[in-house]
Amino acid sequence: MKKAWWKEAIVYQIYPRSFMDSNGDGIGDIPGIISKLDYLKELGIDVVWLCPCFKSPNDDNGYDISDYRDIMDEFGTMDDFKELLKQTHERGMKLLLDLVVNHSSDEHPWFVESRKSKDNPYRDYYIWRDGKDGKEPNNWTSYFYGPAWKYDEATDQYYLHIFSTKQPDLNWENPTVRHEIYDMMKFWLDMGCDGFRMDTVNIYSKTPGLPDGKPGENIGEEYFQDGPRIHEFLQEMNREVLSKYDIMTVGELTGGCIEESLQYANNEGTELGMVFQSEQNLMDCGDKRFSYRKVPLSELKACFSKWQTYFQGRAWNSLYWTNHDQPRTVSRRGNDKEYRKESQKMLYTMLLTMQGTPYIYQGEEIGMTNVYFDNIEDYDDVEIRSYWDRYVVHGDEDPEKTLDGIHYRARDNARTPMQWDDSENAGFTTGTPWLKVNPNYKEINIKEALEDENSIFHYMQRLIRMRKENEVAVYGDFIEYEPENEELYLYERNFEGKKLFVVLNFTENHAQFHLPEAIDPEGSRLLISNYDETPELQSRQLRPYEAAVYLWEK
């Protein structure tokens, strides 16, 4: 197993709009982040991943970039960013940027020029097509609902937008576009940034001819996901940029099977360091975006175990429960009421005892929960608004049922402001927050967590320390026991003469644990547990959401 600093790192994801506001305008900013770097260092963080902070009109909260070489006015200045980079490095941490290059904003100078005329030098920077039979060039649909094409009267053509109409897709077939992107990446890396998280990395390449897709929820996916030239493009990016720096790279895959994922991230290092797989996030989906189902534990385990064993010795995993696009972990996979602390501790015990690089999203270290707004107007996300308008206002979906699905699955669940203390607006801002604070901030906040020695924060801190002190938790091989058990997740890790055995109860009930025959308790010691007075390793009743990790050393 080849070691690397980014394999051993603990990454903390910051959504800048919601992290900390320093000037009272209700929007988080870079000076606010700087003011909380010591807090992240205290938790044990090695890498800070910053969601997009570039110039943007904010149609999709920064994922629509109008200038790749400047900072969003609401977040601060380039000098503020350089100070953040300096302060992060001075604390021994690294800074990861979000690279959003499948599309730009329609306010980017490239697109402003592109739409002026068919013979404009920038026309081919984007994907323009004639209509067909008086309609769109094909039947592809946007991830934000409706056609993936927008008609532009100036030139009587349509442009492609896999996301919102204000996010036109860049034309990666054009080598000039690709090298503009590579030069921009070098600009940030030469400044001292430590790598990139790459947004929707597997949809850069589209199938030539842009044929009609099969009927379904996301029509055309088979022609713009994992396209025919995607690996050629990423290998070129690797040769031109990534291989020339000691950096961390992780690509977000939309869809993507495990076999295909191995091409994006492999031990040969020809493309990326690792990928985010979306399989775990699709498991509880219903037949529509905001419908859902309960996932049996055996199904969830099969997903995680598959990625652990398939990548073993071949590639490196990313480990995460949630991010800025997903609901809160404790509300989705645990119990955000009676057993909020116990279940969140259990879930992160699992995450930090698997092979791969762990990612902690802001607020997870205190067990922040989903927000349950009663009024659709309280939500900000363009995806929620588009869906509601299309399927409730102009469709026949039941508003109450849709709102229930939004409560469970909406992206805004992860975007409510950080809960720093129990003062007004949770200490996030002295102004009016851009998105309402979760009303439970009086009980769930960082001030309370830091003062409580049994808090999720302090447990997470111990987990991180445990992982850093035991390489077996980072690099060890993975073996699962009792895959059909619908209450417990049991597995071991082995590396250089050390062994971990992990016991997790995923239920709010007492669950019977039987020590597997292959596990000899002799010589084991308890490394960490989310309950006091955890017994030695033996068959017994596990308490609700109990987690325990045992270690053997030669």
Side-chain angles (χ1 to χ4, degrees), residues 21-234:
D21 173 24
S22 70
N23 61 7
D25 66 356
I27 297 170
D29 48 41
I30 291 173
I33 296 170
I34 293 171
S35 73
K36 298 299 184 181
L37 288 176
D38 286 337
Y39 165 77
L40 300 182
K41 184 66 178 177
E42 182 182 358
L43 180 58
I45 299 305
D46 303 299
V47 177
V48 177
W49 156 23
L50 208 58
C51 282
C53 57
F54 312 108
K55 284 248 190 248
S56 169
N58 276 315
D59 179 62
D60 188 22
N61 284 352
Y63 283 86
D64 48 317
I65 296 170
S66 56
D67 187 343
Y68 286 101
R69 299 190 186 217
D70 203 356
I71 299 300
M72 193 185 304
D73 292 339
E74 294 167 320
F75 290 169
T77 65
M78 184 62 87
D79 285 341
D80 289 329
F81 178 83
K82 289 178 179 176
E83 184 64 19
L84 170 64
L85 187 61
K86 174 174 172 285
Q87 294 281 346
T88 303
H89 286 167
E90 284 182 356
R91 288 165 175 78
M93 299 186 292
K94 297 180 184 290
L95 192 63
L96 193 72
L97 293 184
D98 221 311
L99 189 71
V100 186
V101 291
N102 171 70
H103 48 265
S104 75
S105 165
D106 66 344
E107 297 181 31
H108 193 290
W110 295 345
F111 190 75
V112 172
E113 287 295 317
S114 179
R115 75 193 313 174
K116 285 182 177 177
S117 68
K118 292 181 181 179
D119 58 359
N120 188 284
Y122 288 92
R123 185 68 169 186
D124 198 41
Y125 273 45
Y126 297 86
I127 300 171
W128 292 92
R129 292 292 186 273
D130 290 326
K132 189 165 62 176
D133 300 326
K135 295 193 291 188
E136 290 80 10
N138 66 25
N139 67 346
W140 294 5
T141 53
S142 160
Y143 281 128
F144 290 166
Y145 314 106
W149 297 92
K150 172 76 171 175
Y151 179 67
D152 195 65
E153 289 185 3
T155 56
D156 190 31
Q157 279 193 324
Y158 293 80
Y159 65 84
L160 180 68
H161 62 91
I162 299 300
F163 293 91
S164 92
T165 57
K166 289 184 64 64
Q167 293 170 296
D169 281 50
L170 287 160
N171 179 17
W172 274 75
E173 298 286 331
N174 183 343
T176 305
V177 170
R178 299 201 301 275
H179 284 90
E180 290 262 26
I181 291 167
Y182 303 158
D183 287 345
M184 176 269 293
M185 294 170 71
K186 291 174 186 174
F187 170 81
W188 292 104
L189 294 174
D190 289 342
M191 190 184 295
C193 296
D194 301 291
F196 299 105
R197 175 265 187 187
M198 300 182 186
D199 189 63
T200 59
V201 76
N202 63 328
I203 65 174
Y204 299 168
S205 171
K206 279 74 173 176
T207 299
L210 311 183
D212 280 346
K214 299 172 185 174
E217 184 177 359
N218 297 312
I219 299 173
E221 264 189 333
E222 67 269 36
Y223 296 119
F224 60 77
Q225 269 188 14
D226 306 312
R229 297 187 66 191
I230 186 61
H231 298 295
E232 175 192 340
F233 294 158
L234 291 177

Side-chain angles (χ1 to χ4, degrees), residues 442-459:
K442 293 280 189 182
E443 297 77 41
I444 302 172
N445 62 71
I446 288 163
K447 181 176 181 289
E448 183 275 334
L450 291 174
E451 293 171 352
D452 176 10
E453 63 179 20
N454 292 315
S455 69
I456 297 166
F457 176 91
H458 286 299
Y459 183 78

Side-chain angles (χ1 to χ4, degrees), residues 25 50 105 111 145-146 150 263 291 311 315 359 368 381 391-392 407-409 411 443 478 522 529 554:
D25 66 356
L50 208 58
S105 165
F111 190 75
Y145 314 106
K150 172 76 171 175
Q263 296 185 58
S291 61
F311 269 29
Y359 292 75
M368 283 178 62
D381 184 20
Y391 293 107
V392 177
H407 288 160
Y408 179 81
R409 298 199 63 218
R411 303 196 300 180
E443 297 77 41
F478 178 91
E522 186 68 28
S529 171
K554 283 188 178 178

Side-chain angles (χ1 to χ4, degrees), residues 339-353:
Y339 293 106
R340 183 180 62 86
K341 289 185 178 181
E342 292 84 355
S343 61
Q344 185 79 338
K345 290 176 182 180
M346 182 277 294
L347 289 162
Y348 276 86
T349 303
M350 176 192 137
L351 199 77
L352 271 78
T353 55

Side-chain angles (χ1 to χ4, degrees), residues 275-291:
V275 295
F276 287 127
Q277 54 88 4
S278 58
E279 184 177 354
Q280 71 191 65
N281 295 323
L282 300 174
M283 302 184 75
D284 54 0
C285 295
D287 58 347
K288 293 183 178 177
R289 173 64 177 93
F290 293 111
S291 61

